[in-house]
Amino acid sequence: MARDRRPWGRDPDRRRQKTSVLVALVLASLTLITLDSRTSSPVDPARRAVGEVFGPIEVATASAIRPFTAVPDWFRSHDAMQQDLLDLQAENSDLRSQLATDDYNRNRLQEYDGLTAAARSIGYSLVPARVVGLGPSQSFSSTVTIDAGSDAGIHPDLTVVNNDGLVGRVLRVTRTTATVLLVVDPDSVVGGRVGRSMDVGFVHGRGVLGSDGRLDLELVDDSAVPSKGDTVVTWGSEASGPYVSGVPIGRITSVYTSVRDSAQRAVVDPYADLGALDLVGVVVPSGTDSDRAVIEADGGLR
Amino acid sequence: MNAARAAIAAAAVAVALALQVSFFPHLAWDGIVPNLVLLVVVGAALARGPQFAAVLGFAAGLALDLAPPADHVAGRWALALVVVGYVAGRVRRDARPTPGTVLATVAASSFVGTSVFALSGLLLQDPVMGIPELLEVVLVGVLWDVLLTPLVLPPVMAMFRHLEPDRTLA
């Protein structure tokens, strides 16, 4: 058929029609961008609607492939595991002796105990969830989908942690899923506190995921100098702030002076491996209604 | 019939999006995954021409913009994939494209698509990132897309060709 064989043929009507379709689509995209750039975006309900439909698809896909992603673990030999066990035992006894002997470490432990006790007395619980979707780096934002939503008692601005430390905060929820902004995202700002000196500052993401994903710590007090190896924990805000206090964020790996604003900056290596997240916990107030078992502050299940 | 065709195209986009978000992060290199949705749009462009591909690109881009865990300003992927669909569609010739043409089209489309997305971000100051990081992501993305082309493009193109309403070509 001639008209199909020659998409840019001499038929001017058809060509005009094609150009107008293209112009319409480009204008539609630009309109959408303009609408969504505003602070109270009219696109949010559409996002939620698409999430309600697509969230369960992501959950299903992730559970379908979970058996296969576990395959590499099966091939680890008995010897390798034995070696791991020995290494861990050595590390454990090493840590134990450090705790017993080192005054400084004992002090620091007390500090952490205090923080943990504070968190316990405020009464937080964890809703366990699995990461089912990871936003591509091509979108230049670091966000993940987790398989717990408003049915599980989750709402925006809750803290998300895992075994190792802070993961991020909840941005928006659907009934069955929630979108989490990771701490490495360039838009993410977390109030941080250096564990030893108690200096407060802000931790910014660099937007790089994976093994070289780092955070930048900027202290409020210009004269304070953080030292290498110090732990940074969340500073937290009272009541309804997005981050609860006392969650370990990462370890300071290097310190440098910012010439532009003559302040000390530090590079923080996050404890949580944000490129390979699986099981995470969402911090909810104690007594939250949830569709799954909730881990209470004392470690029990409810 | 028309609704059925649209449903099949939508299903292809949904499958691509689900795999891209939930499966490929396990294989990703620094979080960079193959852009399967873009590959579907390029497949549609090579099989059906620029107009159909631009419309499909808009719909697919909208899905990328709105489906969780997306958090960027909506409309950016829609714009990028409209451009990709249109540009890739103009490659279409009378004859079936050779494997070399397909690979070159995918590489160019991936480069153009991610670049348009990144540039729109620079204009909106959505994520403030350096040009070297942007370039790295764009180039690794191109590599991924080209690697997956032999697996994805033939079935996608065959499907869209099959969907063509007035198919009389041999």
Side-chain angles (χ1 to χ4, degrees), chain A residues 108-176:
Chain A
R108 201 157 63 156
L109 182 68
Q110 273 173 357
E111 203 168 311
Y112 286 141
D113 272 349
L115 287 174
T116 317
R120 192 169 295 161
S121 64
I122 298 169
Y124 287 113
S125 319
L126 285 181
V127 172
R130 276 179 186 277
V131 171
V132 295
L134 185 66
S137 280
Q138 282 100 319
S139 293
F140 303 108
S141 58
S142 308
T143 47
V144 297
T145 313
I146 57 174
D147 66 351
S150 53
D151 281 355
I154 293 176
H155 58 80
D157 282 345
L158 291 175
T159 312
V160 182
V161 298
N162 76 353
N163 270 345
D164 302 315
L166 184 68
V167 169
R169 70 181 161 94
V170 177
L171 276 180
R172 61 179 72 86
V173 294
T174 69
R175 275 193 324 105
T176 52

Side-chain angles (χ1 to χ4, degrees), chain A residues 185-271:
Chain A
D185 188 276
D187 284 341
S188 163
V189 182
V190 187
R193 184 194 287 283
V194 179
R196 184 158 18 152
S197 63
M198 304 299 271
D199 284 324
V200 293
F202 296 97
V203 180
H204 300 264
R206 281 190 180 177
V208 182
L209 205 62
S211 53
D212 51 354
R214 295 284 182 275
L215 312 166
D216 283 315
L217 170 70
E218 184 186 347
L219 291 178
V220 171
D221 180 0
D222 287 352
S223 60
V225 183
S227 57
K228 202 176 157 181
D230 271 1
T231 296
V232 180
V233 300
T234 53
W235 157 24
S237 41
E238 290 295 314
S240 60
Y243 294 103
V244 295
S245 61
V247 180
I249 302 173
R251 198 171 51 84
I252 295 179
T253 52
S254 67
V255 180
Y256 62 97
T257 308
S258 167
V259 183
R260 196 176 54 188
D261 41 24
S262 69
Q264 297 286 333
R265 302 290 180 88
V267 180
V268 178
D269 183 16
Y271 286 129

